[in-house]
Amino acid sequence: MKIEYLHTMVRVLDLEKSKAFYELLGLKERRRIENDKGRFTLVFMCPPEQDDGTADVELTWNWDGDSGLPSDSRHFGHLAYRVENIYEMCQHLMDNGVTINRPPRDGHMAFVRSPDNISIELLQMGEPLPIQEPWSSMENTGSW
């Protein structure tokens, strides 16, 4: 029996704010579906090098609101992305107001959260980078 990964869906409260967050990670909008009858918008985002639909994150925005977000736990564990330089990515996110919940103390892994409380794991491509400050002594903030 054949099975094929399609995408990951996360519900969002503010489509533009969430889209901007995923753009900070380096994702781009691949396609968009506006459903007037269902009163929702789907925005599929992906890394630029993976625009074939194999690595999509589907941002689902319900036009009439979604009062259970972000605390109703209908999100799954986390999204994970490999990044070229974890320190540069974390600095870029911090410079744009994103809290680094689990800093890359080991030069390999960090966690942040989206505006909708989705946990995002960032992993260094290849081998971990050499441990360096300020990351190595940075404490965790919140949960991930």
Side-chain angles (χ1 to χ4, degrees):
M1 182 185 318
K2 184 177 178 181
I3 188 167
E4 185 177 86
Y5 174 80
L6 294 178
H7 63 265
T8 298
M9 183 276 272
V10 293
R11 295 180 307 141
V12 302
L13 283 175
D14 182 324
L15 182 59
E16 292 310 311
K17 187 175 180 180
S18 294
K19 184 174 178 266
F21 171 81
Y22 289 98
E23 287 171 344
L24 284 174
L25 287 175
L27 304 187
K28 68 173 188 172
E29 182 173 329
R30 189 176 71 79
R31 70 181 173 121
R32 179 182 290 243
I33 299 170
E34 305 277 348
N35 187 307
D36 292 332
K37 186 176 180 181
R39 301 191 49 74
F40 63 85
T41 300
L42 306 179
V43 174
F44 293 84
M45 300 192 71
C46 65
E49 300 80 21
Q50 290 180 282
D51 61 359
D52 60 357
T54 60
D56 282 350
V57 173
E58 172 193 317
L59 306 182
T60 298
W61 178 61
N62 293 308
W63 300 354
D64 299 320
D66 213 332
S67 63
L69 289 175
S71 64
D72 75 354
S73 75
R74 287 181 51 201
H75 308 279
F76 79 107
H78 66 265
L79 301 174
Y81 293 99
R82 279 194 186 96
V83 298
E84 193 168 27
N85 185 305
I86 197 160
Y87 296 142
E88 288 177 7
M89 175 59 79
C90 287
Q91 188 63 57
H92 169 68
L93 293 171
M94 283 177 55
D95 290 348
N96 284 278
V98 176
T99 299
I100 308 300
N101 301 101
R102 193 278 192 193
R105 290 184 292 272
D106 55 4
H108 175 69
M109 179 180 67
F111 276 89
V112 297
R113 286 199 178 256
S114 77
D116 299 291
N117 212 26
I118 303 294
S119 187
I120 312 291
E121 178 182 24
L122 303 172
L123 296 168
Q124 174 62 40
M125 286 182 184
E127 295 297 315
L129 296 180
I131 294 171
Q132 68 182 45
E133 292 294 342
W135 311 107
S136 62
S137 58
M138 192 179 287
E139 296 291 323
N140 292 344
T141 302
S143 62
W144 62 88

